[in-house]
Amino acid sequence: MNWLKRAKQGIKTWRKRDIPDGLWEKCPSCGEILYRKELIKLLSVCPKCRYHFRIDAFTYIGILTDRNSFTEMDAGLVSGDPLGFRDSRKYRDRVKDARRKTGMNSAIATGTARLDGRKVVLAVMNFGFMGGSMGSVVGEKITRAARRAVQERIPLIIVSSSGGARMQESILSLMQMAKTSAAIALVSNNAIPYISIITNPTTGGVAASFAFQGDVIIAEPKALIGFAGPRVIRETVGEELPEGFQRSEFLLEHGMIDMIRSRQELKGVLGFVLDSLMRGAATRVKEEHREHDRTTISLIR
Amino acid sequence: MGVRMLEFESPVYELEGRIEKLKRGGCSESSSEVARLEERLQDLERRIYRDLSPWDRVLLARHPQRPTTRDYISMICDDFLELHGDRCFGDDTAIIGGIARIEEKRLMVVGHEKGRNTKEKIRRNFGMARPEGFRKTLRLMRMAEKYSLPIVSFIDTPGAYPGVGAEERGQSRAIAENLKEIFDIATPVVVVIIGEGGSGGALALAVGDRVLMLENAVYSVISPEGCAAILWKSKERAPDAAASLRLTARDCLECGVVDTVIEELHGASHRDPEGNAAVVKRELLAFIKELEDLPADVLLGARREKYFSIGYFEGKGI
């Protein structure tokens, strides 16, 4: 008997898919087959290799904040098409598709929330919305979020994931790097702590602006982080890329970030950092007031 | 030096050659002919350089004979002392900076330098800065603030250098740091985009109180070639990408990204470098004068508001 040949015609194997959709997920990093419900409980982190599956903005918000504490701001802002941009498709159509696909109006959700009871302003980018690219809406929402943090004197946390500036708004997108930087400068000058959390991937205009302006910068394990994308570097410069190049671990080694933490650990670390820095921020305000009192006193005299 | 020209420029150079020949001939009846041709030349310049496609402007912005930062410094400043190094790692020759004097005025000048001939271009890395360059710029800008020197920044770069070393030494961080710190540097900053304003590498030096742009300069978030490669899957479509990106000076003025467009004499700045430099100098000094006496908090507040107001979106916030 031949075990290798099919004895009869017409015998069908099951479709070459050993896992039905929806129930199981394969880790792209180590190949481990994971039960989806279990994976979600683990905050979409592979238990074997710590690979962080991509999650959308609201899932992230759920992980970082106290239940039902997130109040969204500026959810109604949507992209216009200031330049009438058109490549193979119209920009407006691309935005429409992204809105339908993600259920969000833009590539970022911003709002106020509580993190183990502490009030914070939180902004989380959504890579699923046109690659998390930054155009005028992302720039405006970050700016408003930052100003809100200053107004209320509460810390600012931004979770980045973005391919960079949005090409379809060209020069206006580029300017959002300057605009968000102005907003972060305002936060910094008011001694409001700003913690930047960098997730996979964060490159280009977002990396070269607010993502790297945090007082404390935390990255998820193995996230791709850099200015130019690896393909661009390889192509334009013809240089071979070293092992682990532009991954979180590489950046930590080169002194570019403070630490690498997985999603499960983030809330705890954030709490400690915020408590420590906010105490200082409060004393600084008191001192400024003292200074003010003294001048008032001298005026009265 | 041989004249290198773009295809659409050739009628201008042809006519110029004829005038030159007639002049050299020197006979009396040719002088009226010369005058007639010179008038025609002016007309031709106006026609050819006015109605250019965005892609033609990209070519002009990259023209091998277009004046670079060094040319502007030597044509505008009476004295210039270059300062080197970021005090961290090295000296990036893609960016030059130093103390300058124009008449009685002292300034800090920084800018990208692409280089003129092949050898110098390689030495200057074609004006593509590494983190050292951005850190040097920031060091000089802080010094300028400390000693109340206004800052003039010339922009001319294809972009920040996408290399392994640059990434290792924190290209993103270096640009991010400049973008944030400029909002605290309490001295007037006037920016002139003289050639290519290429993405983040340009912007790192291009945030200021007043942004001037030469008529044939271009400014965009990505090079037309890069954009075409991503959105059209073909670098050949760069001219289409250039049109879509709206990267000309007029477009940037319309978007509120630049404050003034400086018209280039004789159609393009490489056709009359001295004349153009004189215009740039006049404009620069006027803007510095306007900004100089503002109190620091007014200056910084206005700078911040200027950038807060840039952007276009629909819908309302809640």
Side-chain angles (χ1 to χ4, degrees), chain B residues 115-131:
Chain B
R116 173 77 54 210
N117 54 46
T118 310
K119 203 172 149 200
E120 208 206 340
K121 278 186 173 139
I122 290 168
R123 191 169 81 83
R124 301 265 179 208
N125 200 27
F126 301 86
M128 294 186 284
R130 298 179 168 93

Side-chain angles (χ1 to χ4, degrees), chain A residues 206-245:
Chain A
V206 167
S209 61
F210 58 84
F212 270 103
Q213 290 165 346
D215 291 309
V216 175
I217 304 176
I218 307 174
E220 279 189 349
K222 294 176 186 163
L224 177 76
I225 305 164
F227 178 66
R231 195 178 48 84
V232 173
I233 298 175
R234 212 179 295 118
E235 270 178 23
T236 56
V237 188
E239 286 181 41
E240 246 341 283
L241 307 183
E243 181 77 18
F245 181 61

Side-chain angles (χ1 to χ4, degrees), chain A residues 180-181 184 194 209-215 217, chain B residues 173 176 179-180:
Chain A
T180 52
S181 298
I184 300 300
Y194 161 41
S209 61
F210 58 84
F212 270 103
Q213 290 165 346
D215 291 309
I217 304 176
Chain B
R173 167 65 183 190
L179 291 179
K180 177 168 160 255

Side-chain angles (χ1 to χ4, degrees), chain A residues 78 83 85-86 92 136 170 174-176 179 181 186 189 208 212-213 227-228 237 239 246 250 256, chain B residues 161-162 164 167-169 172-173 176 179 184 203 219 221 244-246 304-305 308 310 312 314 316:
Chain A
V78 286
L83 310 181
F85 197 96
R86 193 182 182 141
R92 275 191 193 276
S136 298
S170 189
L174 188 69
M175 290 302 129
Q176 303 310 308
K179 177 169 170 171
S181 298
L186 190 65
N189 289 339
F212 270 103
Q213 290 165 346
F227 178 66
V237 188
E239 286 181 41
Q246 292 186 316
F250 179 91
M256 296 303 153
Chain B
Y161 185 63
V164 172
E167 293 287 329
E168 282 175 333
R169 298 192 296 279
S172 315
R173 167 65 183 190
L179 291 179
D184 281 325
L203 185 67
Y219 197 8
V221 71
S244 282
L245 284 168
R246 304 278 301 270
R304 200 170 54 219
E305 288 306 322
F308 277 173
I310 299 181
Y312 178 88
E314 293 168 0
K316 273 190 291 217

Side-chain angles (χ1 to χ4, degrees), chain B residues 30-97:
Chain B
S30 67
S31 71
S32 65
E33 174 73 359
V34 167
R36 199 179 62 79
L37 286 182
E38 273 177 343
E39 211 170 285
R40 229 175 88 190
L41 179 67
Q42 272 187 20
D43 191 53
L44 195 65
E45 277 176 343
R46 208 169 301 137
R47 260 189 306 123
I48 286 189
Y49 291 104
R50 281 299 114 72
D51 305 324
L52 292 175
S53 73
W55 178 245
D56 291 337
R57 302 236 186 244
V58 172
L59 297 178
L60 271 183
R62 297 172 181 169
H63 197 289
Q65 277 164 328
R66 195 171 172 84
T68 67
T69 296
R70 254 171 15 130
D71 298 326
Y72 279 102
I73 290 174
S74 69
M75 290 185 290
I76 288 175
C77 304
D78 298 306
D79 267 318
F80 177 69
L81 182 68
E82 188 173 355
L83 302 174
H84 292 274
D86 68 341
R87 303 294 187 270
C88 260
F89 180 82
D91 183 40
D92 189 344
T93 47
I95 289 181
I96 53 180

